[in-house]
Amino acid sequence: MNLEPIKQAVRRAVALCVTVQQHHLIANEKVGAEPVTIADYGSQALICETISREFPSDAVLAEESGAQFIEVVDAAQRGEIVGLIAVTLGHTVSEDDVVGWLDYGKGAASNRTWVIDPIDGTKGFLGLRHYAVAVGIVEDGQPVGGVMGCPAYPGYEGGALLWTWGGEVWIEPISGGEAKQVRASALADPANIRIMESVEKSHAAFDRMAKVREYAGMVDSPFERIDSMEKYARIAAGDGELYLRLPRTGSGRPHAAWDHAAGVALVLAGGGRATDVDGSPLDFSKGRNLPNQGMVVSNGVIHDRVLAAVQQLLEEEEAELSS
Ligand code: AMP
Ligand code: MG
């Protein structure tokens, strides 16, 4: 499959996000507990416009919707984003076009689904930290490909674009330049691996994950909090070894497929592992939500050690509950 059009769409989407960040008042409407900005809609519309031209019979599962765009964004801001999309595409665009792209491919019957998070880590985007534009490809329930734009990826002025298809992972400067093939690192020393977790404490259980790091002998390891799926990208590219994501105790919030599909595809193709807390694969066959209890994502080498530490935590929690 030729991913070039999708790579181009992700480059354009990132450029639109940067423009909104620099020049526009950002609409910060709360939908549920999470913010959404006009750039989320612009990014999704640009990516889905490409899918509608290049892969018209494929299914799309994307975070935002046309109805929500009309409902939560006021007319003036809708006009702004429609204008930005028109400038990006180089032709006139109507609000109806945008709504149509936002909902393109929703519920289509196809064995291939494009799983899109137009801005993952919106809080990072708003806070001028890290975020990602992520497009995963799920075929017959398997995350087999993807493209991810990471505007704050370290070492890449303007950010990095990563993509995977056919079991290879590539990275290039998002603003253009030579692509290089990458893979997960071979680092095995638990005291030296680079560990990543969420910035937002409402997103994952900091206390539980700290215990896992302790049990796995990783208290002194380099540690960083970063927003977004960039955590997956770094592991796939050999720029990190462990990403832990355990839900807060009692959290009823499911893990959304679009928060993980592109990242998991990158990590698996790069030779790493991405599993549930019991080591089973993440299950992308169920649509919007992943049925698993958490994510353990690693370069592979250190995976079993971390799973054992997670199991120790779970047993301890179980014992506390029954005492
Ligand atoms: P991160 O930047 O890694 O914390 O991940 C950001 C993503 O986590 C966003 O797409 C949020 O919608 C999602 N998110 C927020 N809260 C939760 C939660 N309690 N459980 C799972 N995902 C969440
Ligand atoms: Mg997200």
Side-chain angles (χ1 to χ4, degrees):
M1 182 163 57
N2 177 17
L3 279 185
E4 204 49 54
I6 303 300
K7 286 163 60 187
Q8 186 57 22
V10 171
R11 286 190 201 100
R12 287 168 160 182
V14 167
L16 179 141
C17 291
V18 171
T19 303
V20 169
Q21 219 172 27
Q22 290 173 344
H23 301 291
H24 292 260
L25 189 68
I26 295 177
N28 182 7
E29 304 284 345
K30 295 272 176 179
V31 177
E34 292 298 304
V36 60
T37 75
I38 57 171
D40 288 79
Y41 298 107
S43 171
Q44 182 167 317
L46 285 174
I47 294 163
C48 293
E49 186 268 345
T50 296
I51 292 170
S52 75
R53 278 186 290 107
E54 302 284 340
F55 304 97
S57 24
D58 287 359
V60 176
L61 174 64
E63 181 163 18
E64 316 302 343
S65 74
Q68 203 190 63
F69 175 56
I70 299 296
E71 196 182 299
V72 306
V73 183
D74 67 37
Q77 296 237 353
R78 292 203 300 271
E80 267 184 76
I81 208 71
V82 170
L84 274 176
I85 293 167
V87 168
T88 305
L89 295 176
H91 58 72
T92 56
V93 166
S94 71
E95 190 171 287
D96 284 349
D97 292 332
V98 171
V99 169
W101 292 328
L102 286 171
D103 292 336
Y104 192 84
K106 196 181 269 183
S110 169
N111 75 322
R112 180 158 66 211
T113 304
W114 297 84
V115 183
I116 303 168
D117 195 336
I119 298 185
D120 181 53
T122 307
K123 287 175 182 163
F125 173 70
L126 291 168
L128 306 181
R129 302 188 307 256
H130 295 246
Y131 63 98
V133 173
V135 183
I137 306 166
V138 172
E139 279 184 359
D140 303 314
Q142 302 296 322
V144 292
V147 179
M148 198 188 296
C150 300
Y153 200 97
Y156 286 80
E157 184 70 30
L161 184 74
L162 295 98
W163 72 95
T164 177
W165 184 254
E168 294 182 352
V169 183
W170 293 79
I171 189 168
E172 70 180 30
I174 210 160
S175 49
E178 206 180 319
K180 94 178 165 188
Q181 195 177 347
V182 286
R183 56 177 292 113
S185 89
L187 222 60
D189 177 4
N192 278 314
I193 58 154
R194 294 158 291 182
I195 306 177
M196 297 165 287
E197 292 177 4
S198 290
V199 172
E200 302 290 337
K201 55 178 175 293
S202 64
H203 291 186
F206 286 9
D207 52 343
R208 301 181 72 212
M209 298 189 294
K211 282 186 187 160
V212 170
R213 286 188 267 118
E214 184 194 327
Y215 300 162
M218 298 171 175
V219 277
D220 296 323
S221 312
F223 178 79
E224 197 181 348
R225 298 206 175 278
I226 335 169
D227 305 279
S228 88
M229 263 187 274
E230 187 182 309
K231 297 188 275 297
Y232 280 107
R234 290 211 202 166
I235 290 175
D239 293 324
E241 282 74 35
L242 177 64
Y243 162 27
L244 264 183
R245 189 176 192 104
L246 299 181
R248 286 149 62 107
T249 308
S251 166
R253 184 180 156 138
H255 301 281
W258 50 75
D259 283 335
H260 302 278
V264 172
L266 284 169
V267 166
L268 296 181
R273 286 179 70 187
T275 70
D276 198 347
V277 292
D278 61 359
S280 58
L282 302 179
D283 180 1
F284 288 91
S285 70
K286 305 275 192 292
R288 297 171 72 86
N289 295 330
L290 304 177
N292 60 289
Q293 299 305 304
M295 283 86 190
V296 178
V297 184
S298 81
N299 64 346
V301 187
I302 51 135
H303 207 84
D304 288 338
R305 184 184 189 97
V306 179
L307 288 177
V310 173
Q311 286 313 310
Q312 188 181 335
L313 171 75
L314 295 178
E315 281 161 24
E316 224 175 68
E317 287 174 345
E318 186 109 348
E320 267 165 40
L321 268 184
S322 56
S323 69

Short mmCIF file of all heavy atoms in Angstrom, two decimals, residues 157-219:
data_model
loop_
_atom_site.label_atom_id
_atom_site.label_comp_id
_atom_site.label_asym_id
_atom_site.label_seq_id
_atom_site.Cartn_x
_atom_site.Cartn_y
_atom_site.Cartn_z
N GLU A 157 13.85 19.33 14.48
CA GLU A 157 13.33 20.69 14.38
C GLU A 157 12.00 20.66 13.63
O GLU A 157 11.95 20.17 12.51
CB GLU A 157 14.37 21.55 13.61
CG GLU A 157 14.04 23.02 13.49
CD GLU A 157 14.16 23.75 14.83
OE1 GLU A 157 14.99 23.33 15.66
OE2 GLU A 157 13.39 24.71 15.03
N GLY A 158 10.95 21.11 14.24
CA GLY A 158 9.64 21.07 13.58
C GLY A 158 8.91 19.75 13.76
O GLY A 158 7.77 19.60 13.35
N GLY A 159 9.59 18.77 14.33
CA GLY A 159 8.93 17.51 14.63
C GLY A 159 9.31 16.38 13.70
O GLY A 159 10.04 16.56 12.73
N ALA A 160 8.80 15.19 14.02
CA ALA A 160 9.12 13.99 13.24
C ALA A 160 7.84 13.34 12.72
O ALA A 160 6.77 13.44 13.34
CB ALA A 160 9.88 13.00 14.11
N LEU A 161 7.97 12.71 11.57
CA LEU A 161 6.89 11.91 11.01
C LEU A 161 7.35 10.46 11.02
O LEU A 161 8.43 10.14 10.52
CB LEU A 161 6.61 12.35 9.57
CG LEU A 161 5.43 11.69 8.87
CD1 LEU A 161 4.11 12.23 9.43
CD2 LEU A 161 5.47 11.93 7.36
N LEU A 162 6.55 9.59 11.63
CA LEU A 162 6.88 8.16 11.65
C LEU A 162 5.80 7.40 10.92
O LEU A 162 4.62 7.79 10.95
CB LEU A 162 6.95 7.64 13.09
CG LEU A 162 8.06 8.23 13.96
CD1 LEU A 162 7.52 9.33 14.82
CD2 LEU A 162 8.69 7.13 14.81
N TRP A 163 6.18 6.33 10.26
CA TRP A 163 5.16 5.51 9.63
C TRP A 163 5.59 4.05 9.58
O TRP A 163 6.77 3.74 9.68
CB TRP A 163 4.79 6.02 8.23
CG TRP A 163 5.83 5.81 7.18
CD1 TRP A 163 5.91 4.78 6.29
CD2 TRP A 163 6.93 6.67 6.89
NE1 TRP A 163 7.00 4.95 5.48
CE2 TRP A 163 7.64 6.09 5.82
CE3 TRP A 163 7.38 7.87 7.42
CZ2 TRP A 163 8.78 6.67 5.29
CZ3 TRP A 163 8.52 8.46 6.90
CH2 TRP A 163 9.20 7.86 5.85
N THR A 164 4.60 3.21 9.47
CA THR A 164 4.90 1.77 9.37
C THR A 164 3.93 1.10 8.44
O THR A 164 2.74 1.40 8.40
CB THR A 164 4.86 1.08 10.75
OG1 THR A 164 5.10 -0.33 10.55
CG2 THR A 164 3.51 1.24 11.45
N TRP A 165 4.48 0.17 7.68
CA TRP A 165 3.70 -0.71 6.82
C TRP A 165 4.60 -1.87 6.43
O TRP A 165 5.81 -1.66 6.25
CB TRP A 165 3.17 0.02 5.56
CG TRP A 165 2.29 -0.88 4.73
CD1 TRP A 165 2.60 -1.47 3.54
CD2 TRP A 165 0.96 -1.30 5.07
NE1 TRP A 165 1.55 -2.24 3.10
CE2 TRP A 165 0.53 -2.17 4.03
CE3 TRP A 165 0.11 -1.06 6.14
CZ2 TRP A 165 -0.72 -2.78 4.04
CZ3 TRP A 165 -1.14 -1.67 6.15
CH2 TRP A 165 -1.55 -2.52 5.10
N GLY A 166 4.06 -3.06 6.37
CA GLY A 166 4.86 -4.21 5.94
C GLY A 166 5.97 -4.56 6.92
O GLY A 166 7.01 -5.10 6.54
N GLY A 167 5.78 -4.22 8.20
CA GLY A 167 6.74 -4.64 9.21
C GLY A 167 7.97 -3.75 9.35
O GLY A 167 8.90 -4.08 10.07
N GLU A 168 7.99 -2.61 8.63
CA GLU A 168 9.12 -1.68 8.77
C GLU A 168 8.65 -0.40 9.43
O GLU A 168 7.50 -0.01 9.28
CB GLU A 168 9.69 -1.33 7.39
CG GLU A 168 10.33 -2.50 6.69
CD GLU A 168 10.92 -2.10 5.33
OE1 GLU A 168 10.71 -0.95 4.89
OE2 GLU A 168 11.60 -2.96 4.74
N VAL A 169 9.56 0.26 10.15
CA VAL A 169 9.25 1.56 10.74
C VAL A 169 10.25 2.59 10.21
O VAL A 169 11.46 2.32 10.19
CB VAL A 169 9.33 1.54 12.28
CG1 VAL A 169 8.92 2.88 12.86
CG2 VAL A 169 8.46 0.43 12.85
N TRP A 170 9.72 3.73 9.81
CA TRP A 170 10.56 4.80 9.27
C TRP A 170 10.28 6.10 10.00
O TRP A 170 9.17 6.32 10.46
CB TRP A 170 10.30 4.98 7.77
CG TRP A 170 10.73 3.81 6.94
CD1 TRP A 170 10.07 2.63 6.78
CD2 TRP A 170 11.94 3.70 6.19
NE1 TRP A 170 10.79 1.78 5.97
CE2 TRP A 170 11.94 2.41 5.59
CE3 TRP A 170 13.03 4.55 5.97
CZ2 TRP A 170 12.99 1.98 4.78
CZ3 TRP A 170 14.06 4.12 5.15
CH2 TRP A 170 14.04 2.84 4.56
N ILE A 171 11.31 6.94 10.07
CA ILE A 171 11.14 8.26 10.67
C ILE A 171 11.81 9.30 9.76
O ILE A 171 12.83 8.99 9.13
CB ILE A 171 11.76 8.29 12.10
CG1 ILE A 171 11.41 9.58 12.84
CG2 ILE A 171 13.27 8.09 12.07
CD1 ILE A 171 11.75 9.55 14.34
N GLU A 172 11.21 10.47 9.65
CA GLU A 172 11.83 11.54 8.90
C GLU A 172 11.43 12.88 9.50
O GLU A 172 10.43 12.97 10.22
CB GLU A 172 11.42 11.49 7.41
CG GLU A 172 9.97 11.84 7.17
CD GLU A 172 9.56 11.78 5.69
OE1 GLU A 172 10.14 10.98 4.93
OE2 GLU A 172 8.65 12.54 5.33
N PRO A 173 12.21 13.93 9.24
CA PRO A 173 11.79 15.25 9.71
C PRO A 173 10.45 15.60 9.05
O PRO A 173 10.28 15.38 7.85
CB PRO A 173 12.89 16.19 9.20
CG PRO A 173 14.05 15.31 8.87
CD PRO A 173 13.47 13.98 8.47
N ILE A 174 9.54 16.15 9.84
CA ILE A 174 8.21 16.39 9.29
C ILE A 174 8.25 17.49 8.23
O ILE A 174 7.43 17.53 7.32
CB ILE A 174 7.23 16.71 10.43
CG1 ILE A 174 5.83 16.26 10.07
CG2 ILE A 174 7.25 18.16 10.83
CD1 ILE A 174 4.92 16.09 11.26
N SER A 175 9.24 18.35 8.32
CA SER A 175 9.34 19.44 7.35
C SER A 175 10.08 19.00 6.10
O SER A 175 10.33 19.80 5.19
CB SER A 175 10.06 20.62 8.00
OG SER A 175 11.24 20.16 8.62
N GLY A 176 10.42 17.72 5.99
CA GLY A 176 11.11 17.21 4.80
C GLY A 176 12.55 16.86 5.14
O GLY A 176 13.14 17.44 6.04
N GLY A 177 13.10 15.92 4.41
CA GLY A 177 14.46 15.47 4.69
C GLY A 177 14.50 13.97 4.60
O GLY A 177 13.49 13.33 4.33
N GLU A 178 15.67 13.44 4.83
CA GLU A 178 15.89 12.02 4.59
C GLU A 178 15.18 11.15 5.63
O GLU A 178 15.23 11.42 6.82
CB GLU A 178 17.39 11.74 4.62
CG GLU A 178 17.77 10.53 3.80
CD GLU A 178 19.28 10.28 3.86
OE1 GLU A 178 20.04 11.27 3.81
OE2 GLU A 178 19.67 9.11 3.98
N ALA A 179 14.55 10.08 5.15
CA ALA A 179 13.90 9.12 6.05
C ALA A 179 14.93 8.08 6.48
O ALA A 179 15.82 7.72 5.70
CB ALA A 179 12.75 8.44 5.33
N LYS A 180 14.79 7.63 7.72
CA LYS A 180 15.67 6.53 8.13
C LYS A 180 14.85 5.43 8.79
O LYS A 180 13.87 5.71 9.48
CB LYS A 180 16.81 7.07 9.00
CG LYS A 180 16.63 7.04 10.46
CD LYS A 180 17.85 7.58 11.19
CE LYS A 180 17.36 7.85 12.62
NZ LYS A 180 18.17 8.50 13.53
N GLN A 181 15.26 4.20 8.51
CA GLN A 181 14.54 3.07 9.10
C GLN A 181 15.01 2.89 10.54
O GLN A 181 16.20 3.01 10.84
CB GLN A 181 14.80 1.79 8.30
CG GLN A 181 13.80 0.70 8.67
CD GLN A 181 13.97 -0.57 7.85
OE1 GLN A 181 14.67 -0.59 6.85
NE2 GLN A 181 13.32 -1.62 8.31
N VAL A 182 14.05 2.66 11.42
CA VAL A 182 14.38 2.55 12.84
C VAL A 182 13.74 1.29 13.42
O VAL A 182 12.87 0.67 12.80
CB VAL A 182 13.86 3.78 13.63
CG1 VAL A 182 14.73 5.00 13.35
CG2 VAL A 182 12.39 4.08 13.33
N ARG A 183 14.19 0.92 14.63
CA ARG A 183 13.52 -0.16 15.35
C ARG A 183 13.74 0.02 16.85
O ARG A 183 14.49 0.89 17.28
CB ARG A 183 13.97 -1.53 14.86
CG ARG A 183 15.46 -1.82 14.91
CD ARG A 183 15.75 -3.25 14.47
NE ARG A 183 15.24 -4.21 15.43
CZ ARG A 183 14.22 -5.07 15.20
NH1 ARG A 183 13.62 -5.10 14.04
NH2 ARG A 183 13.83 -5.90 16.14
N ALA A 184 13.07 -0.79 17.62
CA ALA A 184 13.16 -0.68 19.07
C ALA A 184 14.58 -1.00 19.53
O ALA A 184 15.30 -1.74 18.87
CB ALA A 184 12.16 -1.64 19.72
N SER A 185 14.95 -0.43 20.68
CA SER A 185 16.32 -0.61 21.16
C SER A 185 16.51 -1.99 21.77
O SER A 185 15.54 -2.69 22.09
CB SER A 185 16.65 0.47 22.20
OG SER A 185 16.29 0.02 23.49
N ALA A 186 17.76 -2.38 21.99
CA ALA A 186 18.07 -3.68 22.57
C ALA A 186 18.47 -3.55 24.04
O ALA A 186 18.92 -4.51 24.65
CB ALA A 186 19.20 -4.34 21.78
N LEU A 187 18.31 -2.36 24.60
CA LEU A 187 18.70 -2.10 26.00
C LEU A 187 17.98 -3.04 26.95
O LEU A 187 16.75 -3.15 26.93
CB LEU A 187 18.35 -0.65 26.34
CG LEU A 187 19.37 0.15 27.14
CD1 LEU A 187 20.70 0.24 26.39
CD2 LEU A 187 18.83 1.55 27.39
N ALA A 188 18.74 -3.70 27.83
CA ALA A 188 18.14 -4.69 28.73
C ALA A 188 18.33 -4.36 30.20
O ALA A 188 17.66 -4.93 31.06
CB ALA A 188 18.72 -6.07 28.43
N ASP A 189 19.25 -3.45 30.51
CA ASP A 189 19.55 -3.14 31.91
C ASP A 189 18.41 -2.30 32.51
O ASP A 189 18.22 -1.15 32.13
CB ASP A 189 20.87 -2.36 31.96
CG ASP A 189 21.21 -1.92 33.37
OD1 ASP A 189 20.48 -2.30 34.32
OD2 ASP A 189 22.22 -1.21 33.53
N PRO A 190 17.69 -2.88 33.50
CA PRO A 190 16.52 -2.17 34.03
C PRO A 190 16.86 -0.81 34.63
O PRO A 190 16.01 0.08 34.66
CB PRO A 190 15.97 -3.12 35.11
CG PRO A 190 17.00 -4.17 35.31
CD PRO A 190 17.86 -4.21 34.11
N ALA A 191 18.09 -0.63 35.09
CA ALA A 191 18.46 0.64 35.71
C ALA A 191 18.77 1.73 34.68
O ALA A 191 18.93 2.90 35.03
CB ALA A 191 19.66 0.45 36.63
N ASN A 192 18.87 1.34 33.41
CA ASN A 192 19.23 2.32 32.38
C ASN A 192 18.16 2.57 31.34
O ASN A 192 18.31 3.45 30.49
CB ASN A 192 20.50 1.87 31.67
CG ASN A 192 21.73 2.26 32.46
OD1 ASN A 192 21.83 3.40 32.93
ND2 ASN A 192 22.64 1.33 32.64
N ILE A 193 17.09 1.79 31.39
CA ILE A 193 16.07 1.97 30.36
C ILE A 193 15.35 3.31 30.56
O ILE A 193 15.25 3.82 31.67
CB ILE A 193 15.03 0.83 30.36
CG1 ILE A 193 14.36 0.74 31.74
CG2 ILE A 193 15.66 -0.48 29.96
CD1 ILE A 193 13.00 0.14 31.66
N ARG A 194 14.87 3.87 29.47
CA ARG A 194 14.15 5.15 29.51
C ARG A 194 12.65 4.88 29.60
O ARG A 194 12.08 4.24 28.73
CB ARG A 194 14.50 5.98 28.26
CG ARG A 194 15.97 6.40 28.24
CD ARG A 194 16.44 6.74 26.84
NE ARG A 194 16.52 5.54 25.99
CZ ARG A 194 16.95 5.56 24.74
NH1 ARG A 194 17.31 6.71 24.17
NH2 ARG A 194 17.00 4.45 24.02
N ILE A 195 12.05 5.38 30.67
CA ILE A 195 10.65 5.09 30.97
C ILE A 195 9.80 6.33 30.72
O ILE A 195 10.20 7.44 31.05
CB ILE A 195 10.49 4.65 32.45
CG1 ILE A 195 11.44 3.48 32.74
CG2 ILE A 195 9.05 4.27 32.75
CD1 ILE A 195 11.41 3.02 34.19
N MET A 196 8.61 6.12 30.17
CA MET A 196 7.68 7.23 29.91
C MET A 196 6.29 6.92 30.45
O MET A 196 5.83 5.78 30.38
CB MET A 196 7.59 7.48 28.40
CG MET A 196 8.90 7.92 27.78
SD MET A 196 8.86 7.79 25.98
CE MET A 196 8.93 6.02 25.78
N GLU A 197 5.66 7.97 30.99
CA GLU A 197 4.26 7.88 31.44
C GLU A 197 3.56 9.19 31.08
O GLU A 197 4.20 10.17 30.73
CB GLU A 197 4.21 7.66 32.96
CG GLU A 197 4.72 6.30 33.41
CD GLU A 197 4.73 6.15 34.94
OE1 GLU A 197 4.26 7.06 35.64
OE2 GLU A 197 5.22 5.11 35.41
N SER A 198 2.24 9.21 31.25
CA SER A 198 1.43 10.40 30.99
C SER A 198 1.84 11.57 31.88
O SER A 198 2.34 11.38 32.98
CB SER A 198 -0.05 10.13 31.28
OG SER A 198 -0.59 9.26 30.33
N VAL A 199 1.54 12.77 31.39
CA VAL A 199 1.71 13.99 32.18
C VAL A 199 0.53 14.17 33.14
O VAL A 199 0.70 14.58 34.28
CB VAL A 199 1.80 15.23 31.25
CG1 VAL A 199 1.78 16.53 32.06
CG2 VAL A 199 3.04 15.14 30.37
N GLU A 200 -0.65 13.84 32.65
CA GLU A 200 -1.89 14.15 33.38
C GLU A 200 -2.21 13.05 34.38
O GLU A 200 -2.41 11.90 33.98
CB GLU A 200 -3.05 14.29 32.39
CG GLU A 200 -2.84 15.35 31.32
CD GLU A 200 -2.89 16.77 31.87
OE1 GLU A 200 -3.50 16.97 32.96
OE2 GLU A 200 -2.30 17.66 31.25
N LYS A 201 -2.33 13.43 35.64
CA LYS A 201 -2.58 12.37 36.63
C LYS A 201 -4.00 11.84 36.57
O LYS A 201 -4.29 10.77 37.11
CB LYS A 201 -2.18 12.80 38.04
CG LYS A 201 -2.79 14.06 38.58
CD LYS A 201 -2.27 14.26 40.02
CE LYS A 201 -2.74 15.57 40.61
NZ LYS A 201 -2.13 16.74 39.91
N SER A 202 -4.89 12.55 35.89
CA SER A 202 -6.24 12.00 35.73
C SER A 202 -6.28 10.90 34.65
O SER A 202 -7.25 10.17 34.53
CB SER A 202 -7.22 13.12 35.36
OG SER A 202 -6.87 13.67 34.11
N HIS A 203 -5.20 10.79 33.85
CA HIS A 203 -5.20 9.84 32.73
C HIS A 203 -4.73 8.44 33.12
O HIS A 203 -5.00 7.48 32.43
CB HIS A 203 -4.31 10.33 31.59
CG HIS A 203 -4.86 11.53 30.89
ND1 HIS A 203 -4.28 12.06 29.76
CD2 HIS A 203 -5.94 12.31 31.14
CE1 HIS A 203 -4.97 13.12 29.36
NE2 HIS A 203 -5.98 13.29 30.18
N ALA A 204 -3.93 8.36 34.18
CA ALA A 204 -3.36 7.07 34.57
C ALA A 204 -2.97 7.13 36.05
O ALA A 204 -2.83 8.21 36.62
CB ALA A 204 -2.15 6.75 33.70
N ALA A 205 -2.78 5.96 36.65
CA ALA A 205 -2.53 5.88 38.10
C ALA A 205 -1.05 6.00 38.41
O ALA A 205 -0.32 5.00 38.36
CB ALA A 205 -3.08 4.57 38.64
N PHE A 206 -0.61 7.21 38.75
CA PHE A 206 0.81 7.44 39.02
C PHE A 206 1.32 6.54 40.15
O PHE A 206 2.42 6.01 40.09
CB PHE A 206 1.05 8.91 39.40
CG PHE A 206 0.98 9.87 38.23
CD1 PHE A 206 0.53 9.48 36.98
CD2 PHE A 206 1.38 11.20 38.40
CE1 PHE A 206 0.47 10.38 35.91
CE2 PHE A 206 1.33 12.10 37.35
CZ PHE A 206 0.87 11.69 36.11
N ASP A 207 0.50 6.39 41.21
CA ASP A 207 0.96 5.60 42.36
C ASP A 207 1.15 4.13 42.00
O ASP A 207 2.15 3.49 42.37
CB ASP A 207 -0.02 5.76 43.54
CG ASP A 207 -1.47 5.47 43.15
OD1 ASP A 207 -1.77 5.47 41.92
OD2 ASP A 207 -2.30 5.23 44.05
N ARG A 208 0.21 3.58 41.23
CA ARG A 208 0.32 2.17 40.86
C ARG A 208 1.55 1.95 39.96
O ARG A 208 2.27 0.97 40.10
CB ARG A 208 -0.95 1.71 40.12
CG ARG A 208 -2.24 1.87 40.94
CD ARG A 208 -3.44 1.38 40.16
NE ARG A 208 -3.47 -0.06 40.03
CZ ARG A 208 -3.97 -0.72 38.99
NH1 ARG A 208 -4.47 -0.05 37.96
NH2 ARG A 208 -3.97 -2.03 38.96
N MET A 209 1.77 2.87 39.04
CA MET A 209 2.88 2.70 38.10
C MET A 209 4.23 2.87 38.82
O MET A 209 5.20 2.18 38.49
CB MET A 209 2.73 3.67 36.93
CG MET A 209 1.44 3.39 36.15
SD MET A 209 1.24 4.27 34.59
CE MET A 209 1.10 5.97 35.14
N ALA A 210 4.27 3.74 39.83
CA ALA A 210 5.50 3.90 40.60
C ALA A 210 5.85 2.58 41.31
O ALA A 210 7.02 2.20 41.38
CB ALA A 210 5.35 5.03 41.61
N LYS A 211 4.83 1.91 41.80
CA LYS A 211 5.09 0.61 42.45
C LYS A 211 5.64 -0.40 41.45
O LYS A 211 6.57 -1.15 41.75
CB LYS A 211 3.81 0.07 43.09
CG LYS A 211 3.48 0.74 44.40
CD LYS A 211 2.29 0.09 45.06
CE LYS A 211 1.87 0.89 46.29
NZ LYS A 211 0.49 0.60 46.71
N VAL A 212 5.08 -0.43 40.27
CA VAL A 212 5.57 -1.37 39.25
C VAL A 212 7.04 -1.08 38.93
O VAL A 212 7.87 -2.00 38.86
CB VAL A 212 4.72 -1.28 37.96
CG1 VAL A 212 5.36 -2.06 36.82
CG2 VAL A 212 3.31 -1.78 38.22
N ARG A 213 7.37 0.19 38.81
CA ARG A 213 8.77 0.54 38.51
C ARG A 213 9.68 0.08 39.65
O ARG A 213 10.79 -0.40 39.42
CB ARG A 213 8.89 2.05 38.28
CG ARG A 213 8.35 2.48 36.95
CD ARG A 213 8.65 3.94 36.66
NE ARG A 213 7.57 4.84 37.06
CZ ARG A 213 7.68 5.80 37.96
NH1 ARG A 213 8.82 5.99 38.60
NH2 ARG A 213 6.65 6.58 38.23
N GLU A 214 9.17 0.23 40.87
CA GLU A 214 9.96 -0.20 42.03
C GLU A 214 10.17 -1.72 42.00
O GLU A 214 11.29 -2.20 42.09
CB GLU A 214 9.23 0.22 43.30
CG GLU A 214 9.98 -0.09 44.58
CD GLU A 214 9.07 0.02 45.81
OE1 GLU A 214 8.15 0.88 45.80
OE2 GLU A 214 9.26 -0.77 46.75
N TYR A 215 9.07 -2.46 41.82
CA TYR A 215 9.15 -3.92 41.83
C TYR A 215 10.03 -4.44 40.69
O TYR A 215 10.62 -5.51 40.79
CB TYR A 215 7.76 -4.55 41.72
CG TYR A 215 6.82 -4.18 42.86
CD1 TYR A 215 5.44 -4.34 42.73
CD2 TYR A 215 7.32 -3.66 44.05
CE1 TYR A 215 4.58 -3.98 43.76
CE2 TYR A 215 6.47 -3.30 45.08
CZ TYR A 215 5.11 -3.46 44.93
OH TYR A 215 4.26 -3.09 45.94
N ALA A 216 10.09 -3.68 39.59
CA ALA A 216 10.89 -4.14 38.44
C ALA A 216 12.34 -3.68 38.53
O ALA A 216 13.12 -3.91 37.61
CB ALA A 216 10.25 -3.63 37.14
N GLY A 217 12.68 -3.01 39.64
CA GLY A 217 14.07 -2.55 39.80
C GLY A 217 14.41 -1.38 38.91
O GLY A 217 15.52 -1.27 38.40
N MET A 218 13.44 -0.47 38.73
CA MET A 218 13.64 0.62 37.79
C MET A 218 13.51 2.01 38.44
O MET A 218 13.27 3.00 37.74
CB MET A 218 12.61 0.50 36.65
CG MET A 218 12.80 -0.79 35.86
SD MET A 218 11.48 -1.11 34.67
CE MET A 218 12.12 -2.57 33.85
N VAL A 219 13.71 2.08 39.75
CA VAL A 219 13.52 3.38 40.42
C VAL A 219 14.52 4.44 39.98
O VAL A 219 14.22 5.62 39.99
CB VAL A 219 13.55 3.30 41.97
CG1 VAL A 219 12.22 2.90 42.53
CG2 VAL A 219 14.64 2.35 42.44
#
